[in-house]
Structure formats: structure tokens, C-alpha cells
Amino acid sequence: MKYIFISIFSLLLFSGCNKDPQPDAIVEIVDSCSNSSIVVSDIKGRKKQDGFMQAQVTGSNLTSSYFKVEYKVVWLDENDFTIDTILSNWTDMPAYPNQPFYINVTSPNAKAESFRLYLKKEGKIICNKQLN
Amino acid sequence: MQQTIKLVASIVLVGLIFSGCGVATKNIDIHNDKEASAVMGLDYRDFQGAAQTMVQSLVSSGAVNKPGGGRYVLVVSRIINDTMQHIDTDQLVKKIRVSLLRSGKVVVTTAVGANGAEDKMAMNSRKDLRNHEEFNQKTVAAKGQMIAPDLSLSGKIIQRNITVDRSTQQVEYYFQMSLTDINTGLAFWEDEKVIGKRGSNASAAW
């Protein structure tokens, strides 16, 4: 009986020391943002330990041609107000034939609590999703 | 009468010809400037893109996260313009500075710099006003109040011109930046962005 108490006490003690070092994934969706040439299979967001938010988007080029996709991430604070930053300008990235592509971006400051993703190809919006 | 008509017609014709020659001036929509084709030199779009890449790289690297919290003090060192163009490197650096300041992780000192104080008034107002009998000395900045920088941001913009064939040239621009810990002299972060342009030999890249 004494050993059981000691074991439980030790477990409680050591679990208290372990301050979760892993950032928490706060949002994760699999959505149907797609057209005939692109499909977005996953949009994730997490708050990192330094307070900055990180977003990752996974998509695929379904065609056998190379093209560029353009994306923009608008960062929002806890009250859903946009955060003014040059990081929210349109950016292009390569989408190689029949291959996945990844967009990995970090928020401009620690006030970001959610984000809105815009994805377009040849000037046409394919994805316009907000993650809360 | 016929002469008058001819004269008026000539004036109208000349007016029409010359009005067709001029390019109308209009403001650029800097948020969606797809209308104009790329230029061989560096324009605002290139600086915007380079600054965006550098800031994204910096914030995601964690190099500006001070252990234990608080903010780093940053000084902007030399940004060397090794291109054939007359560039004020502040076109790049200012965007980066503003973003870093807004990140809440960094404050920038203007009291020191590679070529002396960036804001000379910060230093001069102390020297000139200290012990000046016209100024209330309680309102003059005290000695030993300035904060020395922790980090130094330096960089270089390089240009390479390559002849592709008799009519085509290629111009490559390299934006290189480093963030150095002044205490140890170690670079906490470095990155490079390359912008390549290919066009007519007739275009000047300066």
C-alpha cells in the first residue's frame, strides 16, 4: 500500500514538472477547396510556444502540367480584426505536375488567433476559407 | 473661308496625331499591379517580394525570440548595394524594420549605426542640451540611459548580368541578409532571395 502511494505521488510530481513543450494544434480541417486542377486536402493552424501562429496548407496539382498558384493568408486577432502586415500580400509558389504542394507560413506577431486563406490559379479564386 | 477651314482642319488633325502619341499618366494599384510587365531593373514589386520573404523567414526561424521574453534591440548595419542601379537600400530595409517592430519581438535603435547615428538628433540633443542654461536639466536625457543593440542586421544586394544570346540577356539579383548576435558575433539567421529576369538586350538593367 505504501509503495502504491509513493508511486502515485512520484507520478504526480513528475507530471507536474513536464510543462507541455509541444505547441497545440488548434485547428485542423480537411475541406473540399478544389477545381479540376487543384485540390486542397488539409489546412492546419497552431499556436507556437513563442506565441506566433503557424499555418500549413496541403494541396495537390492534379494535372500533368507545371503551374504557379498564388496564395494569401490574412491574419486575424482574437476579435477577428485583420492584422496589417506585408506578410499578407499575394505570393506565388510552384505546383509541380501530379505532386503535392505545401504552404507553410507564420503570423506576423503573437496577436494572431486565426487566419483566412485565399488560393487562386490564373486569377481565379479556388479557396477562401477562414479557420477559427 | 476655304483657307480658314483648311487651317482649322490642319490644327485638329495635328492635335489628334499628338494626342495619340502621349501615354496617359495614371496611378499604379500597388496591391494588384499585373498590368505592367516586368522590368529588367529592380522595381517596387521586387523589393516588396524580397522584404516579404525575409520577414517570413525571420519570424518562422525563431531568431528574434528572446529567451526569457522581452524584446531584442536591433541596429541596422550596412546593406551593400552591389548592383548597377542607384538603390536606396532603405527601400528594402524599411519594410523589414517595420514588420519586425510590429512583430513585438524587436525594437530598433536609431542612436547608433554603421555610419554614425541614424537619427543624429538622439545623440546631439544630449550633448548640446546638457548643462545648457536655457533648458530645464530635468527634461534633458540623463547619462547612461541609451540601450545598446543586441542584434545587427546586415546584407547585400548583388547583380549578375549574363548574355543568353545575341538578342537576350539575363539579369540575376541576389538579396542576402544576416542577423548577427553582437555579443558573440554569431549569425543567428541568414537568408537569400534570388530574382531572375530575362529580356531583350536593348533593355538596360540600371
Side-chain angles (χ1 to χ4, degrees), chain B residues 85-188:
Chain B
Q85 299 174 55
H86 295 289
I87 297 168
D88 185 339
T89 53
D90 270 352
Q91 283 178 275
L92 174 71
V93 175
K94 187 56 100 178
K95 292 178 179 63
I96 296 172
R97 282 172 61 157
V98 169
S99 297
L100 288 178
L101 197 60
R102 288 182 182 175
S103 76
K105 299 285 180 182
V106 169
V107 283
V108 182
T109 175
T110 56
V112 287
N115 301 311
E118 190 183 320
D119 180 0
K120 293 189 169 31
M121 207 57 209
M123 194 58 83
N124 290 354
S125 61
R126 293 158 183 267
K127 289 178 183 169
D128 298 346
L129 306 184
R130 202 165 282 154
N131 300 324
H132 197 299
E133 60 186 20
E134 294 295 338
F135 288 87
N136 179 349
Q137 289 302 300
K138 285 180 187 164
T139 63
V140 177
K143 285 184 179 177
Q145 294 302 302
M146 283 187 165
I147 309 292
D150 305 298
L151 301 172
S152 169
L153 186 71
S154 59
K156 196 173 186 180
I157 308 170
I158 301 167
Q159 176 178 348
R160 281 196 69 216
N161 283 32
I162 297 155
T163 303
V164 178
D165 56 39
R166 289 177 69 179
S167 60
T168 315
Q169 66 171 327
Q170 181 170 307
V171 185
E172 297 166 0
Y173 298 98
Y174 299 80
F175 290 80
Q176 301 174 336
M177 302 213 80
S178 301
L179 187 72
T180 305
D181 174 29
I182 291 175
N183 191 37
T184 61
L186 303 175
F188 275 16

